[in-house]
Amino acid sequence: MTIATTERLVLRDWTESPADLARIYDIYSREEVMRWLGGGAGRMTDPAQARERVHAWRDRYGPYAGRWGIWAIEPRGADRVAGSVLLKPLPGRDGVTPSDDIEVGWHLHPDAQGHGYATEAARAMLAREFATGTPQVYAVVMAGNEPSMAVARRLGMTHLGIRTDWYGGAELETFVLRSAA
């Protein structure tokens, strides 16, 4: 299902198609991607894990009826997905219980970085979320992940410094964007 579109992108559900499963594995098995996502926890080591990941995403975000989730970023006319964009409640200090704070995030394959896809996809998701009346959305980034911090800045997000409010108290560079409404 298509969640949003931009001039260059289609943001859609990840599927169990062979191409999507191969791309999920190719993204989430890479050390250069996963080191920024929980320090590598959850790194895939077997292609069969891609199907399990799609099922886990559906189970986790299904109750939100498409408002929140993790979606494929598909450049129009491209032969493969660039990565993922997410919008979801941040897990609280216990690392599990959803908080009232909403997170926008992105995970791109290295071959898709540097084209503005993360910024464009995140901008579409932010507009969509602000239209629901959400007053602010956060981006949280592991220290040292300069490319993701640059995306947050391009989105107009304000850097709040390091916070430990979410993800089990992990120290994360935190950015916020407040609704203009």
Side-chain angles (χ1 to χ4, degrees), residues 93-108:
R93 289 192 62 95
D94 67 1
V96 178
T97 307
S99 71
D100 292 332
D101 298 321
I102 305 303
E103 173 187 14
V104 65
W106 43 86
H107 313 144
L108 267 63

Side-chain angles (χ1 to χ4, degrees), residues 7 9 14 22-23 49 56 59 64 68 81 87 115 120-121 130 137-138 151 153 158 161 163-164 170:
E7 183 177 326
L9 305 173
W14 281 104
R23 193 63 166 172
Q49 292 172 306
D59 291 347
Y64 299 120
W68 295 319
V81 168
L87 188 72
H115 301 283
E120 190 172 331
F130 286 142
V137 176
Y138 293 91
V151 170
R153 289 184 186 99
T158 301
R163 292 192 40 190
T164 59

Side-chain angles (χ1 to χ4, degrees), residues 51-61:
R51 186 178 310 276
E52 295 167 10
R53 189 72 51 99
V54 169
H55 288 215
W57 289 335
R58 282 186 194 151
D59 291 347
R60 184 177 309 139
Y61 301 116

Side-chain angles (χ1 to χ4, degrees), residues 61-77:
Y61 301 116
Y64 299 120
R67 178 173 178 186
W68 295 319
I70 184 165
W71 301 283
I73 301 170
E74 184 175 285
R76 294 178 189 272

Side-chain angles (χ1 to χ4, degrees), residues 4 12 16 25 39 53 56 64-65 92 97 114 120-121 123 142 155:
R12 62 165 177 81
E16 293 183 54
Y25 180 73
R53 189 72 51 99
Y64 299 120
T97 307
E120 190 172 331
R123 189 168 282 130
M142 289 187 67
L155 291 167

Side-chain angles (χ1 to χ4, degrees), residues 7 23-24 44 52 64-65 79 133 136 154 172 178 180:
E7 183 177 326
R23 193 63 166 172
I24 289 168
M44 293 183 187
E52 295 167 10
Y64 299 120
D79 61 349
Q136 61 192 16
R154 280 193 295 276
L172 298 166
R178 293 181 173 83

